[in-house]
Structure formats: C-alpha cells, structure tokens
Amino acid sequence: MKVIDPPSRDDRPLWDVWLATFNFPVLTVADEIGLFTLLAKQALSPTEIAEQLKIGARATEGILGVLTSLGFVLQHDGQFLLTELSRNYLLPESPYYWGGLLRNIHDSLPTHESIRDAALKDYYHDAESPWDSGEIPQARAERLTRHMHAHSMPAAMGVARWGNFTGVKRLLDVAGGSGCFPIALAMRYPHMRFTVLELAPVVALAKQYIADYGMQDRIDTLVANMFRDPFPSGYDAVFFSNIYHDWKREECLRLTRSSFDALPSGGHIYIHEMLLDDTKDRPISTMGYAIQMLVGTQGKQYSAAEIRAMLTECGFDSITVTPTFSYFTLIRATKP
Ligand SMILES: C[S@@+](CC[C@H](N)C(=O)[O-])C[C@H]1O[C@@H](n2cnc3c(N)ncnc32)[C@H](O)[C@@H]1O
C-alpha cells in the first residue's frame, strides 16, 4: 500500500485561475442578451428576468450569481438591481459604455494555442504589419476604433482631470483613435486646440466622434502614417495613449525622436499607458494585458522605468509620472 501525506497547502489558486475563465463570457452574454438594459428600468426577480430575456431558470441563476459576486449587480429582497459599476460601463446610453470592446473581443479570446505560439515564436509579427503600412480594411478599423473608444474614454476623463497641461495650447494626439483624449481635454481646457493624427480609415470615424461632441472647431484631424511621415510642427505637446505598448522598443524610440524633433524647446511629450510596476510582476491585470500584447502585437506593457529610459535617451528631461484613472498612468517629459 502506498501512503501519501495530505497536500501542504490547498489548491484554491488553481480553481480560481481555471474558473475565472468563465467570468468574461458571462459578462459578454449578459450584455448581448440585454440583462443590464432590462435591470436599468427596475429591480426584478430571477423569475421575471428569465421570462423577459427568454432564458432558462438554471442559466439565470448562474449568470446572476456570477455577476453579483463580481459586483455588476446586487441582490436585495429577492430582486436584482444594477450597481454603479454597471450603470457607468454596461448601459448603451452611457458615454462610458464598454460595448464596443466587449463585442470586438468576445469571439477572439486568448487560447492555449495562441499563447503557446506567441511564446515559441516571440516577435512573430516581425513581418511588416498592416499597421506599419497603414493599409487596414475599413471594417477592421471600425471595430478597433469602437473598441478603443470604450477602452479609453473613462481614462481620458482621468487624464484631463489629473494630467498637467499647464501652458499647453496646441496638442498633437498621435494615433489618437476616436479622439477621446482631445474630446475629454477640450471639455476641461477651453483654450486648448487639438489635432488627431491617424490612418485614413480611422480619421473618418474620429470625425464622427468629434462631431458627436460638437467639437469640430477645436479638434481637427490629419491623415498620416506615424512611422513614415514627419510629425507636423506648430504643436507645444505631442500625446500618445496606448501606442507604446503596441510596438518594440526601437519603434517606440522612433516615435520619441519624431516627437523631440517636432517640438519646440519647452514643449512636452505625454505617454499614457497601463504601466507595470518596475519589478514587472504586478498588477496582475496589467500582466494579462502584457500577454494580450504578446499575442496580438509587437509590443508589451512597459514599466515607468523603461519609458523613462527611452525619454532620457532621446533628450527629454523633467519627467513626471501621474496616475490618472483605474490602471492608467500619464508620463510627461519636456524638451530642454
Ligand atoms: C491601441 S489604439 C490607441 C488609440 C488611442 N490612442 C487610445 O488610446 O484609445 C492604436 C491606434 O494606432 C493607430 N495606428 C496604428 N498604426 C498607425 C500608423 N502607422 N500611423 C498612424 N496611426 C496608426 C491605429 O489606427 C489605432 O487607432
């Protein structure tokens, strides 16, 4: 007979890692079937929710249980109602609705194969990507821009609130996507003017977002390829959000040098990213984003120290690091 000792600790972390994989699809299904919109009007019992959404009682119990545990709904007196979290981010009428992101990625979640292949090939996107050449189909640009708008609009409000834009009059938002950062900054700083530099298919969409906010007179657009075209002059700030994490260090250095060349003395570069701690093992969600970048881009999530080193190498100084919103941080540096 073989006798073994009990485990020296419990295996909860393994259960947690496995079973957390169900959380995201539960959220995207709840969004797709209209659960949050239904509960926005009134609190309902599980039986009423099942009837109105035409889903089974067992599924209703499971979905509501997961969403309650995660803080998206709460339970009171046998009825379910929305939390502040859901009211902000899961109602289509909210300016911060995450629907564009949820719908873009619900059918392309990471798999064992995608992570294994990326690990074995490392920079497997080494061949020229359509983003280098700027040749992206309109439908793909539209999906990505709706995704990025949902992804970035809440943080854009944090950048406008907490970032230091003292003295900045004209800001160039390089690869600015929907234009959400200039939109948020324009609300807070009435004297500022902005240009969103983007690839042609995205500029068409940015113009719509800018028009939705009635800001056409303060925010214009420029069709350009950030790697192939020189940055325009006449700006006292160059801004990048979620751009460095898409690219290798050498490409990030190219963007930093282009900014330095385009800026006047005293001008600022801003880099807004989800940063890793300098130990590069935290926070866990930013680590997850690093894996997403590994699978889908040539980049990675950087630490503040890594970005600071790039800025210094290109001649910038007076570097400041400011938390803005949720996991995001804004780095600002000045051309001497
Ligand atoms: C991750 S998104 C960031 C969008 C926005 N800055 C934000 O934070 O929400 C990357 C953006 O880079 C743009 N982009 C990619 N390659 C580009 C290039 N070569 N020139 C200009 N823009 C480019 C894409 O169109 C896309 O909008």
Side-chain angles (χ1 to χ4, degrees):
M1 186 178 76
K2 184 172 162 185
V3 177
I4 59 171
D5 289 332
S8 57
R9 61 149 298 162
D10 81 34
D11 56 1
R12 253 175 239 239
L14 290 155
W15 293 104
D16 294 344
V17 169
W18 169 36
L19 296 172
T21 60
F22 291 91
N23 295 344
F24 189 76
V26 165
L27 184 64
T28 57
V29 167
D31 171 63
E32 187 176 303
I33 63 181
L35 175 68
F36 301 108
T37 298
L38 179 68
L39 294 181
K41 292 175 219 130
Q42 57 188 317
L44 293 171
S45 70
T47 310
E48 292 165 327
I49 293 169
E51 264 171 33
Q52 297 209 35
L53 295 180
K54 300 189 179 18
I55 58 174
R58 192 164 58 112
T60 307
E61 185 181 292
I63 290 171
L64 288 173
V66 169
L67 295 176
T68 305
S69 275
L70 294 174
F72 293 107
V73 296
L74 58 85
Q75 196 175 165
H76 178 68
D77 228 2
Q79 295 196 313
F80 286 83
L81 51 148
L82 295 189
T83 59
E84 277 305 294
L85 180 63
S86 301
R87 287 200 181 276
N88 272 280
Y89 303 111
L90 294 168
L91 293 180
E93 63 272 27
S94 166
Y96 306 116
Y97 178 46
W98 263 53
L101 190 159
L102 301 180
R103 279 195 292 268
N104 185 30
I105 54 174
H106 73 85
D107 55 357
S108 57
L109 293 177
T111 60
H112 173 86
E113 286 72 24
S114 66
I115 294 171
R116 184 197 55 204
D117 288 356
L120 294 177
K121 294 181 193 160
D122 203 4
Y123 285 131
Y124 79 127
H125 281 87
D126 254 349
E128 174 152 303
S129 88
W131 299 103
D132 281 308
S133 61
E135 283 149 19
I136 35 160
Q138 188 66 39
R140 186 161 169 210
E142 184 152 347
R143 255 177 91 125
L144 178 82
T145 305
R146 305 239 175 272
H147 171 120
M148 285 312 301
H149 186 80
H151 169 294
S152 298
M153 190 68 208
M157 298 300 279
V159 164
R161 172 68 185 81
W162 298 108
N164 179 358
F165 293 88
T166 311
V168 175
K169 295 191 183 67
R170 290 196 69 205
L171 180 143
L172 178 70
D173 184 6
V174 179
S178 71
C180 57
F181 288 89
I183 289 170
L185 285 163
M187 287 182 219
R188 189 165 174 93
Y189 294 101
H191 64 280
M192 280 177 76
R193 296 282 179 280
F194 309 85
T195 298
V196 177
L197 180 157
E198 259 292 354
L199 300 172
V202 178
V203 159
L205 299 157
K207 281 183 172 167
Q208 289 171 19
Y209 281 100
I210 294 163
D212 281 351
Y213 281 85
M215 294 195 173
Q216 306 90 309
D217 55 335
R218 312 235 344 255
I219 309 173
D220 59 23
T221 53
L222 175 67
V223 174
N225 184 318
M226 65 184 173
F227 291 119
R228 299 189 176 182
D229 301 316
F231 287 7
S233 58
Y235 296 88
D236 47 12
V238 178
F239 182 93
F240 299 88
S241 176
N242 299 295
I243 301 304
Y244 279 51
H245 78 162
D246 285 342
W247 302 99
K248 294 182 218 181
R249 188 175 196 273
E250 69 196 53
E251 256 82 46
C252 295
L253 284 174
R254 274 171 71 190
L255 296 174
T256 314
R257 286 202 187 94
S258 296
S259 306
F260 192 89
D261 293 345
L263 282 168
S265 171
H268 304 296
I269 182 172
Y270 293 85
I271 299 171
H272 183 247
E273 291 280 338
M274 264 171 74
L275 294 179
L276 291 178
D277 284 7
D278 289 347
T279 49
K280 296 205 257 181
D281 54 4
R282 292 187 295 253
I284 183 62
S285 291
T286 309
M287 290 310 317
Y289 214 1
I291 300 297
Q292 163 82 27
M293 292 300 115
L294 174 75
V295 169
T297 73
Q298 297 180 15
K300 60 175 202 154
Q301 297 308 123
Y302 292 99
S303 66
E306 287 174 309
I307 292 187
R308 199 182 270 275
M310 292 184 219
L311 290 165
T312 309
E313 201 170 318
C314 295
F316 286 100
D317 65 13
S318 306
I319 300 169
T320 59
V321 178
T322 310
T324 52
F325 189 79
S326 110
Y327 288 113
F328 286 94
T329 299
L330 184 66
I331 300 186
R332 184 182 88 144
T334 308
K335 178 170 171 174

